[in-house]
Amino acid sequence: MAKDPTHTTSTSTERLPQGCRIAVVASTYHGELVDTMKGSARAVLEAAGLDRDDWLEVAVPGAYELPLVARRLALRDDVDAVLCFGLVLRGDTDHDRYISTTVATRLMDAAFEADTPILFGVLTPNNVGQARRRARTEADGGLDKGREVARAAIGVLAALERARTIGRGDKRSGSSKKSGGSKK
Ligand SMILES: Nc1c(NC[C@H](O)[C@H](O)[C@H](O)CO)[nH]c(=O)[nH]c1=O
Ligand SMILES: CC(=O)[C@@H](O)COP(=O)(O)O
């Protein structure tokens, strides 16, 4: 399949810091494609050094249930990032848009509240064909959303670490803080 520039994923080869713990919330609604994304994400993270025991997985009934459980996991001190997987398919009414808009907003709210990255692996396709194309792995001819989410988790954790340490130890270290600190 030709690569669509709007669906290009980073090819980051960064590794996860040792001891990193990743929590995963995945809906059982449209479970087959959700599981495909989850499996791809897990493979990427384990290849990046994630210990099998540091993948903590929780199932929820539908995408609408993702934010509350993701928030609970993100608030734990021993969880470094939360990956959320779901698939909200366009229906005949506005129902799907209420779900997807609320989920996207609430997941970011929870990330801010917990000061922990929460990754958005929730597809919102217009039809099953679009869903399959996005969920399937590259090896299976798809756009591999699960891989993208895993790579984004690695990338944002590295960025947060850099944001925590950059400029430390230079001539201004020890001066007063300009802004509030972080839990990590
Ligand atoms: N239609 C989809 C749903 N609907 C179920 C809701 O997510 C929720 O479980 C229910 O409203 C009870 O609170 N869920 C999906 O994940 N995807 C859909 O397409
Ligand atoms: C998004 C849904 O839950 C879905 O089942 C609702 O579909 P519809 O908009 O056709 O009622």
Side-chain angles (χ1 to χ4, degrees), residues 32-50:
E32 196 181 324
L33 290 176
V34 169
D35 282 352
T36 300
M37 293 188 281
K38 197 176 63 181
S40 183
R42 185 169 192 167
V44 169
L45 291 171
E46 288 187 1
L50 183 75

Side-chain angles (χ1 to χ4, degrees), residues 29 88-89 91-96 99:
Y29 212 105
V88 183
L89 197 57
D92 294 331
T93 73
D94 286 344
H95 193 86
D96 60 285
I99 294 176

Side-chain angles (χ1 to χ4, degrees), residues 10-17 44-45 47-49 150-159 161-162:
S10 120
T11 53
S12 163
T13 54
E14 279 177 285
R15 290 190 58 82
L16 277 172
V44 169
L45 291 171
R151 287 177 173 171
I154 296 168
V156 72
L157 286 169
E161 179 60 12
R162 184 160 165 75

Side-chain angles (χ1 to χ4, degrees), residues 27-30 34 60-66 85-91 95-96 99 103 122-123:
S27 77
T28 53
Y29 212 105
H30 299 302
V34 169
V60 292
Y64 199 67
E65 285 71 47
L66 289 168
F85 292 105
L87 195 173
V88 183
L89 197 57
R90 178 66 49 88
H95 193 86
D96 60 285
I99 294 176
V103 169
V122 181
L123 298 178

Side-chain angles (χ1 to χ4, degrees), residues 133-152:
R133 180 161 185 265
R134 284 156 181 77
R136 283 181 176 157
T137 61
E138 188 173 55
D140 205 14
L143 294 165
D144 213 336
K145 186 69 180 180
R147 181 180 67 180
E148 178 188 296
V149 165
R151 287 177 173 171

Side-chain angles (χ1 to χ4, degrees), residues 105-167:
T105 306
R106 286 299 188 170
L107 288 179
M108 188 52 93
D109 289 347
F112 270 73
E113 182 192 347
D115 194 25
T116 298
I118 298 181
L119 287 296
F120 188 60
V122 181
L123 298 178
T124 57
N126 294 317
N127 53 58
V128 175
Q130 284 185 349
R132 288 196 186 111
R133 180 161 185 265
R134 284 156 181 77
R136 283 181 176 157
T137 61
E138 188 173 55
D140 205 14
L143 294 165
D144 213 336
K145 186 69 180 180
R147 181 180 67 180
E148 178 188 296
V149 165
R151 287 177 173 171
I154 296 168
V156 72
L157 286 169
L160 286 169
E161 179 60 12
R162 184 160 165 75
R164 190 179 71 80
T165 55
I166 190 170

